Amino acid sequence: MNIAEDSLRRLILSSLKKRLLLEAHDGDGQIPAADSLIPPPNDVVKPHEPAKKTQKPKKRRTSTPLPKLESRMSDLHDKPITQPKYTLEEKREMLANLASRLEDCHECGVNPDRNRMVFGDGSLEPKVMFVGEAPGADEDEQGIPFVGRAGKLLTDMIEKGMKISRDETYICNVLKCRPPSNRTPSPEEAAICAKHLERQIEIIRPPAICTLGASSLRYLLSVPVGRSLGSMRGDVHDYRGIPLIATYHPSYLLRDPSKKREAWKDLQLLMRTIGLLK
């Protein structure tokens, strides 16, 4: 054995002796066997891992459920109108009083900056009442429903399609004021304003109603939002004892002229209902 090997051997023995003495001092006074100090070859000592932080369960946010949309719609749709029919003079006076009360109405808050309240226009003894959604920019300027591009198309549908004068109909909307950017009225806005529409219907008592677009149809018949306008077309519905036919809004027909054929079918059903077509 050379000098280097002897020195290495002495160093190893010295280190082992010191370790045995420390174990005996810190333990129970017994010197453990040397082989018990050497870990098995397959015993891998894992590095220290920091303790994982216990995450607190997240609190679930709960929102107050909105009332059902049906509760924001008409609650009169299945209640027949029982009062006697009014005379022409009575209709004129009652509608004038109602319109006067609405002149400065901002109850629904739809548009505080609107120019005019658009009440309704036409015969007080009409062949049919057309009910749209809300006034647009032209209607807001003139105070008359359906006078813009959509109004011109509606006039053509009445006069060229049904072969009657627009003056023989009554035209109004669910909302009496123009929504900003001509957006669709919300169910809440319809519920606030459409009670005035229901009063118009009670006073005029038209022989038939034709709804233009989804808003008026859904409000008057309390149709759930999940049911489409298309699924309600083609049938004669009942609003308080008055036949009701649904069709597309003229502004929608301007955007999608391919639907005009279906709208014509709706007008034919309307004409048969009021006796203009066999």
Side-chain angles (χ1 to χ4, degrees), residues 95 120-126 144-145 166-171 204:
L95 289 172
D121 181 63
S123 172
L124 301 188
E125 293 184 341
I144 303 172
R166 173 171 166 148
D167 293 337
E168 296 178 86
T169 71
Y170 189 88
I171 303 174
I204 295 173

Side-chain angles (χ1 to χ4, degrees), residues 133 212-219 223 227-229 247-249:
E133 297 182 346
L212 305 169
S215 293
S216 52
L217 170 68
R218 284 179 178 149
Y219 180 82
V223 178
R227 188 168 181 183
S228 67
L229 168 61
T247 193
Y248 298 108
H249 196 283

Side-chain angles (χ1 to χ4, degrees), residues 11-268:
L11 179 63
I12 292 172
L13 290 174
S14 175
S15 298
L16 180 61
K17 183 177 179 181
K18 287 180 180 180
R19 183 174 179 185
L20 290 172
L21 289 172
L22 287 171
E23 291 286 347
H25 180 269
D26 294 336
D28 55 2
Q30 301 295 324
I31 299 176
D35 57 355
S36 68
L37 299 174
I38 303 172
N42 295 329
D43 190 2
V44 180
V45 179
K46 295 181 179 180
H48 174 72
E49 296 182 359
K52 293 183 179 180
K53 293 182 180 181
T54 304
Q55 293 183 350
K56 295 181 180 180
K58 294 182 178 180
K59 293 183 179 180
R60 297 183 63 183
R61 294 182 178 180
T62 57
S63 57
T64 304
L66 294 172
K68 292 183 179 180
L69 289 176
E70 289 85 347
S71 66
R72 303 179 196 161
M73 298 178 186
S74 172
D75 58 357
L76 299 175
H77 67 280
D78 57 352
K79 297 177 176 61
I81 301 173
T82 56
Q83 67 262 30
K85 290 185 178 181
Y86 300 112
T87 66
L88 183 60
E89 200 56 44
E90 288 172 331
K91 291 180 181 181
R92 187 175 290 111
E93 182 180 354
M94 285 187 287
L95 289 172
N97 289 337
L98 179 59
S100 178
R101 293 202 304 271
L102 297 179
E103 278 295 339
D104 297 319
C105 176
H106 295 282
E107 186 179 355
C108 71
V110 63
N111 190 354
D113 299 323
R114 58 107 166 113
N115 289 316
R116 296 192 181 188
M117 183 272 297
V118 184
F119 184 72
D121 181 63
S123 172
L124 301 188
E125 293 184 341
K127 286 181 167 59
V128 60
M129 174 186 280
F130 289 95
V131 183
E133 297 182 346
D138 294 305
E139 291 78 11
D140 185 55
E141 280 293 324
Q142 300 183 41
I144 303 172
F146 284 90
V147 292
R149 289 182 65 228
K152 184 179 184 307
L153 178 55
L154 177 60
T155 300
D156 288 343
M157 292 166 65
I158 295 169
E159 298 188 344
K160 296 179 181 179
M162 299 179 67
K163 306 298 183 185
I164 61 175
S165 170
R166 173 171 166 148
D167 293 337
E168 296 178 86
T169 71
Y170 189 88
I171 303 174
C172 56
N173 287 295
V174 174
L175 261 62
K176 307 306 181 191
C177 299
R178 178 198 180 201
S181 303
N182 288 355
R183 63 168 171 77
T184 302
S186 70
E188 294 89 348
E189 291 163 347
I192 292 171
C193 194
K195 59 178 178 286
H196 309 304
L197 165 65
E198 291 183 309
R199 184 57 182 150
Q200 284 175 294
I201 296 174
E202 287 178 348
I203 294 171
I204 295 173
R205 193 84 65 87
I209 297 171
C210 182
T211 56
L212 305 169
S215 293
S216 52
L217 170 68
R218 284 179 178 149
Y219 180 82
L220 290 177
L221 295 187
S222 291
V223 178
V225 171
R227 188 168 181 183
S228 67
L229 168 61
S231 68
M232 299 291 288
R233 291 180 48 257
D235 292 321
V236 179
H237 305 280
D238 179 88
Y239 172 79
R240 306 187 67 185
I242 301 173
L244 185 148
I245 290 87
T247 193
Y248 298 108
H249 196 283
S251 61
Y252 176 73
L253 298 177
L254 290 173
R255 295 193 301 271
D256 187 357
S258 66
K259 297 295 184 183
K260 287 184 178 181
R261 184 183 297 272
E262 296 180 34
W264 171 235
K265 293 179 182 178
D266 299 333
L267 288 184
Q268 289 176 311

